[in-house]
Amino acid sequence: MKKKIFLIFPPHLTDQPITYTLIKKYDLKTNILRASINYNTQGNLLLELEGTKENISSGIRYLENIGVKVDFIHTEIKWDEKACIHCGACTAVCPSDALKLDSNSWLLSFNAEECLGCKLCIKACPLKIITNGL
Ligand code: SF4
Ligand code: SF4
């Protein structure tokens, strides 16, 4: 199974090999979707974990035990591509590269891997064709 999580590190953990531990000790595949970590200041990481349910639970317990705040991404954005008029309103509010207008065709594309689950696009779409699929 896969799980997308958002991690907030306190300053004293920003130099710890946390993703290495998740891989080696908990046998998890880790895919870093977004990172903002500076030594000795708070760090953020959007991470996709892949592994057995038990290993993901153990890995998350490890993170929480060492003091990392773990938030779960519960949003699954659905985009009705056929109804889209490619106006770009959603791209203006999207904080990641999940929603993009192609610079040649001016057609919208959606990459779920990049989505942070903020839901800003849902409100921004004038046709209301972006929804939370969960
Ligand atoms: S939920 Fe947020 S990050 Fe995801 S596509 Fe919409 S605006 Fe972009
Ligand atoms: S705001 Fe709605 S109609 Fe406009 S490009 Fe985005 S999904 Fe398509």
Side-chain angles (χ1 to χ4, degrees), residues 43-84:
N44 303 316
L45 199 62
L46 180 65
L47 198 62
E48 186 176 69
L49 299 177
E50 185 175 354
T52 65
K53 194 176 172 192
E54 294 71 27
N55 286 357
I56 288 177
S57 298
S58 302
I60 289 170
R61 253 197 318 277
Y62 150 73
L63 292 169
E64 289 174 334
N65 285 342
I66 62 170
V68 177
K69 183 174 182 314
V70 182
D71 277 339
F72 298 92
I73 309 290
H74 291 298
T75 307
E76 189 182 303
I77 291 299
K78 297 279 179 214
W79 164 51
D80 184 351
E81 185 171 357
K82 285 190 184 140
C84 181

mmCIF file of all heavy atoms in Angstrom, residues 43-84:
data_model
loop_
_atom_site.group_PDB
_atom_site.id
_atom_site.type_symbol
_atom_site.label_atom_id
_atom_site.label_comp_id
_atom_site.label_asym_id
_atom_site.label_seq_id
_atom_site.Cartn_x
_atom_site.Cartn_y
_atom_site.Cartn_z
ATOM 1 N N GLY A 43 11.862 21.935 9.589
ATOM 2 C CA GLY A 43 11.850 21.411 8.221
ATOM 3 C C GLY A 43 10.523 20.754 7.893
ATOM 4 O O GLY A 43 9.809 20.286 8.789
ATOM 5 N N ASN A 44 10.152 20.756 6.595
ATOM 6 C CA ASN A 44 8.928 20.110 6.140
ATOM 7 C C ASN A 44 9.254 19.127 5.016
ATOM 8 O O ASN A 44 10.135 19.396 4.199
ATOM 9 C CB ASN A 44 7.937 21.128 5.567
ATOM 10 C CG ASN A 44 7.589 22.197 6.552
ATOM 11 O OD1 ASN A 44 7.338 21.901 7.713
ATOM 12 N ND2 ASN A 44 7.594 23.436 6.112
ATOM 13 N N LEU A 45 8.514 18.054 5.005
ATOM 14 C CA LEU A 45 8.746 17.043 3.973
ATOM 15 C C LEU A 45 7.407 16.439 3.579
ATOM 16 O O LEU A 45 6.642 16.029 4.445
ATOM 17 C CB LEU A 45 9.633 15.955 4.584
ATOM 18 C CG LEU A 45 10.408 15.013 3.687
ATOM 19 C CD1 LEU A 45 11.399 15.785 2.830
ATOM 20 C CD2 LEU A 45 11.185 14.021 4.553
ATOM 21 N N LEU A 46 7.099 16.443 2.286
ATOM 22 C CA LEU A 46 5.933 15.709 1.798
ATOM 23 C C LEU A 46 6.453 14.404 1.222
ATOM 24 O O LEU A 46 7.278 14.402 0.305
ATOM 25 C CB LEU A 46 5.204 16.514 0.716
ATOM 26 C CG LEU A 46 3.954 15.852 0.130
ATOM 27 C CD1 LEU A 46 2.873 15.693 1.178
ATOM 28 C CD2 LEU A 46 3.423 16.649 -1.043
ATOM 29 N N LEU A 47 5.990 13.307 1.796
ATOM 30 C CA LEU A 47 6.606 12.016 1.532
ATOM 31 C C LEU A 47 5.538 10.997 1.158
ATOM 32 O O LEU A 47 4.472 10.970 1.756
ATOM 33 C CB LEU A 47 7.284 11.582 2.836
ATOM 34 C CG LEU A 47 8.348 10.519 2.844
ATOM 35 C CD1 LEU A 47 9.555 10.969 2.022
ATOM 36 C CD2 LEU A 47 8.801 10.283 4.291
ATOM 37 N N GLU A 48 5.856 10.170 0.171
ATOM 38 C CA GLU A 48 4.977 9.031 -0.103
ATOM 39 C C GLU A 48 5.693 7.772 0.377
ATOM 40 O O GLU A 48 6.846 7.540 0.009
ATOM 41 C CB GLU A 48 4.678 8.927 -1.592
ATOM 42 C CG GLU A 48 3.662 7.847 -1.907
ATOM 43 C CD GLU A 48 3.319 7.837 -3.382
ATOM 44 O OE1 GLU A 48 4.185 7.472 -4.188
ATOM 45 O OE2 GLU A 48 2.181 8.203 -3.714
ATOM 46 N N LEU A 49 5.017 7.011 1.226
ATOM 47 C CA LEU A 49 5.584 5.761 1.736
ATOM 48 C C LEU A 49 4.922 4.592 1.032
ATOM 49 O O LEU A 49 3.708 4.588 0.822
ATOM 50 C CB LEU A 49 5.324 5.621 3.239
ATOM 51 C CG LEU A 49 5.906 6.684 4.156
ATOM 52 C CD1 LEU A 49 5.469 6.419 5.589
ATOM 53 C CD2 LEU A 49 7.417 6.720 4.038
ATOM 54 N N GLU A 50 5.715 3.605 0.676
ATOM 55 C CA GLU A 50 5.154 2.401 0.078
ATOM 56 C C GLU A 50 5.703 1.183 0.803
ATOM 57 O O GLU A 50 6.926 1.075 0.995
ATOM 58 C CB GLU A 50 5.505 2.333 -1.413
ATOM 59 C CG GLU A 50 4.839 1.167 -2.090
ATOM 60 C CD GLU A 50 5.074 1.142 -3.601
ATOM 61 O OE1 GLU A 50 5.652 2.089 -4.152
ATOM 62 O OE2 GLU A 50 4.676 0.140 -4.208
ATOM 63 N N GLY A 51 4.826 0.285 1.218
ATOM 64 C CA GLY A 51 5.255 -0.920 1.924
ATOM 65 C C GLY A 51 4.043 -1.620 2.479
ATOM 66 O O GLY A 51 2.900 -1.289 2.144
ATOM 67 N N THR A 52 4.269 -2.595 3.342
ATOM 68 C CA THR A 52 3.125 -3.282 3.952
ATOM 69 C C THR A 52 2.459 -2.330 4.948
ATOM 70 O O THR A 52 3.095 -1.384 5.446
ATOM 71 C CB THR A 52 3.570 -4.550 4.704
ATOM 72 O OG1 THR A 52 4.401 -4.142 5.792
ATOM 73 C CG2 THR A 52 4.319 -5.508 3.808
ATOM 74 N N LYS A 53 1.193 -2.619 5.241
ATOM 75 C CA LYS A 53 0.432 -1.791 6.185
ATOM 76 C C LYS A 53 1.157 -1.745 7.537
ATOM 77 O O LYS A 53 1.280 -0.688 8.156
ATOM 78 C CB LYS A 53 -0.957 -2.409 6.349
ATOM 79 C CG LYS A 53 -1.954 -1.519 7.002
ATOM 80 C CD LYS A 53 -3.310 -2.200 7.028
ATOM 81 C CE LYS A 53 -4.252 -1.377 7.873
ATOM 82 N NZ LYS A 53 -5.469 -2.069 8.192
ATOM 83 N N GLU A 54 1.664 -2.914 7.970
ATOM 84 C CA GLU A 54 2.343 -3.004 9.269
ATOM 85 C C GLU A 54 3.604 -2.153 9.277
ATOM 86 O O GLU A 54 3.885 -1.428 10.234
ATOM 87 C CB GLU A 54 2.715 -4.465 9.585
ATOM 88 C CG GLU A 54 1.540 -5.406 9.791
ATOM 89 C CD GLU A 54 0.784 -5.722 8.498
ATOM 90 O OE1 GLU A 54 1.388 -5.670 7.402
ATOM 91 O OE2 GLU A 54 -0.431 -5.993 8.587
ATOM 92 N N ASN A 55 4.392 -2.250 8.199
ATOM 93 C CA ASN A 55 5.644 -1.485 8.149
ATOM 94 C C ASN A 55 5.384 0.020 8.084
ATOM 95 O O ASN A 55 6.110 0.815 8.680
ATOM 96 C CB ASN A 55 6.501 -1.927 6.955
ATOM 97 C CG ASN A 55 7.140 -3.274 7.199
ATOM 98 O OD1 ASN A 55 6.987 -3.840 8.275
ATOM 99 N ND2 ASN A 55 7.835 -3.800 6.215
ATOM 100 N N ILE A 56 4.330 0.414 7.345
ATOM 101 C CA ILE A 56 3.999 1.848 7.285
ATOM 102 C C ILE A 56 3.592 2.324 8.683
ATOM 103 O O ILE A 56 4.047 3.377 9.146
ATOM 104 C CB ILE A 56 2.889 2.113 6.242
ATOM 105 C CG1 ILE A 56 3.472 1.946 4.840
ATOM 106 C CG2 ILE A 56 2.312 3.514 6.403
ATOM 107 C CD1 ILE A 56 2.472 2.108 3.710
ATOM 108 N N SER A 57 2.778 1.533 9.375
ATOM 109 C CA SER A 57 2.356 1.926 10.731
ATOM 110 C C SER A 57 3.567 2.018 11.658
ATOM 111 O O SER A 57 3.689 2.962 12.449
ATOM 112 C CB SER A 57 1.378 0.912 11.305
ATOM 113 O OG SER A 57 0.247 0.870 10.510
ATOM 114 N N SER A 58 4.478 1.041 11.579
ATOM 115 C CA SER A 58 5.667 1.064 12.436
ATOM 116 C C SER A 58 6.546 2.268 12.110
ATOM 117 O O SER A 58 7.095 2.921 13.010
ATOM 118 C CB SER A 58 6.493 -0.213 12.247
ATOM 119 O OG SER A 58 5.722 -1.329 12.536
ATOM 120 N N GLY A 59 6.693 2.557 10.822
ATOM 121 C CA GLY A 59 7.518 3.704 10.408
ATOM 122 C C GLY A 59 6.935 5.014 10.925
ATOM 123 O O GLY A 59 7.656 5.896 11.404
ATOM 124 N N ILE A 60 5.602 5.143 10.854
ATOM 125 C CA ILE A 60 4.949 6.363 11.334
ATOM 126 C C ILE A 60 5.086 6.471 12.852
ATOM 127 O O ILE A 60 5.349 7.546 13.398
ATOM 128 C CB ILE A 60 3.476 6.394 10.885
ATOM 129 C CG1 ILE A 60 3.431 6.639 9.372
ATOM 130 C CG2 ILE A 60 2.693 7.474 11.620
ATOM 131 C CD1 ILE A 60 2.081 6.463 8.733
ATOM 132 N N ARG A 61 4.976 5.330 13.549
ATOM 133 C CA ARG A 61 5.172 5.337 15.010
ATOM 134 C C ARG A 61 6.582 5.798 15.358
ATOM 135 O O ARG A 61 6.796 6.577 16.267
ATOM 136 C CB ARG A 61 4.922 3.940 15.583
ATOM 137 C CG ARG A 61 3.613 3.857 16.337
ATOM 138 C CD ARG A 61 3.505 2.656 17.235
ATOM 139 N NE ARG A 61 3.995 1.423 16.670
ATOM 140 C CZ ARG A 61 3.269 0.635 15.856
ATOM 141 N NH1 ARG A 61 2.048 0.972 15.539
ATOM 142 N NH2 ARG A 61 3.775 -0.480 15.398
ATOM 143 N N TYR A 62 7.570 5.299 14.585
ATOM 144 C CA TYR A 62 8.963 5.709 14.803
ATOM 145 C C TYR A 62 9.089 7.236 14.657
ATOM 146 O O TYR A 62 9.695 7.900 15.509
ATOM 147 C CB TYR A 62 9.873 4.976 13.801
ATOM 148 C CG TYR A 62 11.098 5.731 13.392
ATOM 149 C CD1 TYR A 62 12.169 5.897 14.278
ATOM 150 C CD2 TYR A 62 11.205 6.306 12.126
ATOM 151 C CE1 TYR A 62 13.302 6.619 13.913
ATOM 152 C CE2 TYR A 62 12.319 7.028 11.758
ATOM 153 C CZ TYR A 62 13.357 7.186 12.648
ATOM 154 O OH TYR A 62 14.454 7.914 12.287
ATOM 155 N N LEU A 63 8.488 7.773 13.604
ATOM 156 C CA LEU A 63 8.585 9.226 13.369
ATOM 157 C C LEU A 63 7.976 9.998 14.542
ATOM 158 O O LEU A 63 8.575 10.957 15.050
ATOM 159 C CB LEU A 63 7.853 9.602 12.074
ATOM 160 C CG LEU A 63 8.473 9.092 10.771
ATOM 161 C CD1 LEU A 63 7.520 9.304 9.603
ATOM 162 C CD2 LEU A 63 9.794 9.796 10.501
ATOM 163 N N GLU A 64 6.783 9.569 14.956
ATOM 164 C CA GLU A 64 6.098 10.283 16.046
ATOM 165 C C GLU A 64 6.878 10.155 17.359
ATOM 166 O O GLU A 64 6.970 11.103 18.121
ATOM 167 C CB GLU A 64 4.671 9.760 16.194
ATOM 168 C CG GLU A 64 3.799 10.196 15.018
ATOM 169 C CD GLU A 64 2.402 9.598 15.027
ATOM 170 O OE1 GLU A 64 2.211 8.515 15.599
ATOM 171 O OE2 GLU A 64 1.513 10.207 14.426
ATOM 172 N N ASN A 65 7.481 8.982 17.580
ATOM 173 C CA ASN A 65 8.241 8.774 18.828
ATOM 174 C C ASN A 65 9.482 9.654 18.922
ATOM 175 O O ASN A 65 9.896 10.032 20.011
ATOM 176 C CB ASN A 65 8.657 7.299 18.953
ATOM 177 C CG ASN A 65 7.481 6.442 19.345
ATOM 178 O OD1 ASN A 65 6.475 6.949 19.845
ATOM 179 N ND2 ASN A 65 7.573 5.146 19.095
ATOM 180 N N ILE A 66 10.089 9.956 17.770
ATOM 181 C CA ILE A 66 11.292 10.802 17.837
ATOM 182 C C ILE A 66 10.944 12.298 17.798
ATOM 183 O O ILE A 66 11.814 13.144 17.855
ATOM 184 C CB ILE A 66 12.325 10.463 16.733
ATOM 185 C CG1 ILE A 66 11.737 10.708 15.341
ATOM 186 C CG2 ILE A 66 12.865 9.057 16.884
ATOM 187 C CD1 ILE A 66 12.770 10.621 14.237
ATOM 188 N N GLY A 67 9.642 12.613 17.653
ATOM 189 C CA GLY A 67 9.244 14.022 17.763
ATOM 190 C C GLY A 67 8.858 14.695 16.463
ATOM 191 O O GLY A 67 8.698 15.912 16.402
ATOM 192 N N VAL A 68 8.702 13.885 15.398
ATOM 193 C CA VAL A 68 8.255 14.463 14.118
ATOM 194 C C VAL A 68 6.736 14.535 14.130
ATOM 195 O O VAL A 68 6.069 13.569 14.519
ATOM 196 C CB VAL A 68 8.721 13.586 12.926
ATOM 197 C CG1 VAL A 68 8.206 14.149 11.610
ATOM 198 C CG2 VAL A 68 10.237 13.472 12.902
ATOM 199 N N LYS A 69 6.168 15.676 13.699
ATOM 200 C CA LYS A 69 4.708 15.794 13.596
ATOM 201 C C LYS A 69 4.288 15.222 12.240
ATOM 202 O O LYS A 69 4.827 15.616 11.204
ATOM 203 C CB LYS A 69 4.288 17.259 13.726
ATOM 204 C CG LYS A 69 2.799 17.473 13.710
ATOM 205 C CD LYS A 69 2.456 18.921 13.993
ATOM 206 C CE LYS A 69 0.959 19.188 14.047
ATOM 207 N NZ LYS A 69 0.156 18.627 13.003
ATOM 208 N N VAL A 70 3.369 14.275 12.279
ATOM 209 C CA VAL A 70 2.942 13.602 11.048
ATOM 210 C C VAL A 70 1.495 13.968 10.745
ATOM 211 O O VAL A 70 0.609 13.749 11.561
ATOM 212 C CB VAL A 70 3.055 12.059 11.190
ATOM 213 C CG1 VAL A 70 2.645 11.379 9.883
ATOM 214 C CG2 VAL A 70 4.471 11.650 11.597
ATOM 215 N N ASP A 71 1.276 14.562 9.541
ATOM 216 C CA ASP A 71 -0.089 14.834 9.081
ATOM 217 C C ASP A 71 -0.384 13.933 7.893
ATOM 218 O O ASP A 71 0.491 13.726 7.044
ATOM 219 C CB ASP A 71 -0.228 16.300 8.641
ATOM 220 C CG ASP A 71 -0.489 17.205 9.822
ATOM 221 O OD1 ASP A 71 -0.952 16.698 10.851
ATOM 222 O OD2 ASP A 71 -0.204 18.404 9.715
ATOM 223 N N PHE A 72 -1.601 13.450 7.819
ATOM 224 C CA PHE A 72 -1.963 12.573 6.720
ATOM 225 C C PHE A 72 -2.701 13.364 5.647
ATOM 226 O O PHE A 72 -3.512 14.220 5.957
ATOM 227 C CB PHE A 72 -2.850 11.431 7.227
ATOM 228 C CG PHE A 72 -2.127 10.580 8.217
ATOM 229 C CD1 PHE A 72 -2.208 10.856 9.577
ATOM 230 C CD2 PHE A 72 -1.307 9.559 7.786
ATOM 231 C CE1 PHE A 72 -1.506 10.098 10.494
ATOM 232 C CE2 PHE A 72 -0.603 8.796 8.698
ATOM 233 C CZ PHE A 72 -0.692 9.065 10.054
ATOM 234 N N ILE A 73 -2.376 13.067 4.398
ATOM 235 C CA ILE A 73 -3.036 13.744 3.291
ATOM 236 C C ILE A 73 -4.268 12.923 2.931
ATOM 237 O O ILE A 73 -4.166 11.813 2.424
ATOM 238 C CB ILE A 73 -2.098 13.826 2.053
ATOM 239 C CG1 ILE A 73 -0.731 14.410 2.443
ATOM 240 C CG2 ILE A 73 -2.737 14.592 0.920
ATOM 241 C CD1 ILE A 73 -0.713 15.849 2.805
ATOM 242 N N HIS A 74 -5.442 13.485 3.230
ATOM 243 C CA HIS A 74 -6.675 12.723 3.004
ATOM 244 C C HIS A 74 -7.399 13.153 1.728
ATOM 245 O O HIS A 74 -8.498 12.698 1.469
ATOM 246 C CB HIS A 74 -7.632 12.916 4.184
ATOM 247 C CG HIS A 74 -7.128 12.269 5.435
ATOM 248 N ND1 HIS A 74 -6.917 10.923 5.529
ATOM 249 C CD2 HIS A 74 -6.764 12.780 6.623
ATOM 250 C CE1 HIS A 74 -6.460 10.628 6.737
ATOM 251 N NE2 HIS A 74 -6.355 11.745 7.406
ATOM 252 N N THR A 75 -6.797 14.043 0.982
ATOM 253 C CA THR A 75 -7.483 14.548 -0.202
ATOM 254 C C THR A 75 -7.082 13.742 -1.435
ATOM 255 O O THR A 75 -5.916 13.447 -1.618
ATOM 256 C CB THR A 75 -7.102 16.022 -0.430
ATOM 257 O OG1 THR A 75 -7.336 16.728 0.768
ATOM 258 C CG2 THR A 75 -7.908 16.634 -1.554
ATOM 259 N N GLU A 76 -8.063 13.391 -2.239
ATOM 260 C CA GLU A 76 -7.734 12.788 -3.522
ATOM 261 C C GLU A 76 -8.478 13.586 -4.584
ATOM 262 O O GLU A 76 -9.691 13.462 -4.739
ATOM 263 C CB GLU A 76 -8.151 11.318 -3.560
ATOM 264 C CG GLU A 76 -7.629 10.622 -4.803
ATOM 265 C CD GLU A 76 -8.076 9.175 -4.866
ATOM 266 O OE1 GLU A 76 -7.783 8.442 -3.908
ATOM 267 O OE2 GLU A 76 -8.726 8.816 -5.852
ATOM 268 N N ILE A 77 -7.726 14.455 -5.232
ATOM 269 C CA ILE A 77 -8.350 15.378 -6.182
ATOM 270 C C ILE A 77 -8.801 14.648 -7.440
ATOM 271 O O ILE A 77 -8.060 13.861 -8.017
ATOM 272 C CB ILE A 77 -7.331 16.500 -6.543
ATOM 273 C CG1 ILE A 77 -7.094 17.409 -5.339
ATOM 274 C CG2 ILE A 77 -7.792 17.309 -7.753
ATOM 275 C CD1 ILE A 77 -8.321 18.128 -4.821
ATOM 276 N N LYS A 78 -10.060 14.924 -7.832
ATOM 277 C CA LYS A 78 -10.589 14.400 -9.093
ATOM 278 C C LYS A 78 -10.841 15.585 -10.025
ATOM 279 O O LYS A 78 -11.435 16.587 -9.606
ATOM 280 C CB LYS A 78 -11.924 13.668 -8.866
ATOM 281 C CG LYS A 78 -11.809 12.456 -7.973
ATOM 282 C CD LYS A 78 -11.295 11.263 -8.737
ATOM 283 C CE LYS A 78 -11.170 10.073 -7.825
ATOM 284 N NZ LYS A 78 -10.069 9.201 -8.125
ATOM 285 N N TRP A 79 -10.400 15.447 -11.241
ATOM 286 C CA TRP A 79 -10.554 16.530 -12.235
ATOM 287 C C TRP A 79 -11.321 15.972 -13.430
ATOM 288 O O TRP A 79 -10.919 14.930 -13.986
ATOM 289 C CB TRP A 79 -9.152 17.010 -12.641
ATOM 290 C CG TRP A 79 -9.082 17.821 -13.891
ATOM 291 C CD1 TRP A 79 -9.820 18.919 -14.207
ATOM 292 C CD2 TRP A 79 -8.210 17.597 -15.006
ATOM 293 N NE1 TRP A 79 -9.464 19.402 -15.435
ATOM 294 C CE2 TRP A 79 -8.466 18.603 -15.951
ATOM 295 C CE3 TRP A 79 -7.224 16.663 -15.286
ATOM 296 C CZ2 TRP A 79 -7.790 18.692 -17.155
ATOM 297 C CZ3 TRP A 79 -6.545 16.742 -16.489
ATOM 298 C CH2 TRP A 79 -6.821 17.751 -17.408
ATOM 299 N N ASP A 80 -12.425 16.629 -13.803
ATOM 300 C CA ASP A 80 -13.224 16.180 -14.948
ATOM 301 C C ASP A 80 -12.625 16.792 -16.204
ATOM 302 O O ASP A 80 -12.980 17.895 -16.621
ATOM 303 C CB ASP A 80 -14.686 16.620 -14.740
ATOM 304 C CG ASP A 80 -15.591 16.103 -15.849
ATOM 305 O OD1 ASP A 80 -15.066 15.569 -16.849
ATOM 306 O OD2 ASP A 80 -16.818 16.257 -15.710
ATOM 307 N N GLU A 81 -11.707 16.060 -16.780
ATOM 308 C CA GLU A 81 -10.929 16.583 -17.918
ATOM 309 C C GLU A 81 -11.828 16.941 -19.108
ATOM 310 O O GLU A 81 -11.609 17.948 -19.785
ATOM 311 C CB GLU A 81 -9.891 15.530 -18.328
ATOM 312 C CG GLU A 81 -8.955 16.016 -19.413
ATOM 313 C CD GLU A 81 -7.800 15.058 -19.656
ATOM 314 O OE1 GLU A 81 -7.695 14.027 -18.946
ATOM 315 O OE2 GLU A 81 -6.996 15.349 -20.559
ATOM 316 N N LYS A 82 -12.868 16.130 -19.338
ATOM 317 C CA LYS A 82 -13.725 16.375 -20.517
ATOM 318 C C LYS A 82 -14.483 17.691 -20.392
ATOM 319 O O LYS A 82 -14.773 18.356 -21.383
ATOM 320 C CB LYS A 82 -14.718 15.229 -20.686
ATOM 321 C CG LYS A 82 -14.046 13.989 -21.225
ATOM 322 C CD LYS A 82 -15.070 12.957 -21.607
ATOM 323 C CE LYS A 82 -14.328 11.690 -22.046
ATOM 324 N NZ LYS A 82 -14.964 10.489 -21.583
ATOM 325 N N ALA A 83 -14.818 18.077 -19.171
ATOM 326 C CA ALA A 83 -15.599 19.309 -18.969
ATOM 327 C C ALA A 83 -14.716 20.552 -18.873
ATOM 328 O O ALA A 83 -15.209 21.676 -18.888
ATOM 329 C CB ALA A 83 -16.439 19.170 -17.703
ATOM 330 N N CYS A 84 -13.414 20.352 -18.787
ATOM 331 C CA CYS A 84 -12.487 21.474 -18.534
ATOM 332 C C CYS A 84 -12.394 22.412 -19.738
ATOM 333 O O CYS A 84 -12.316 21.965 -20.882
ATOM 334 C CB CYS A 84 -11.110 20.893 -18.209
ATOM 335 S SG CYS A 84 -9.875 22.146 -17.844
#
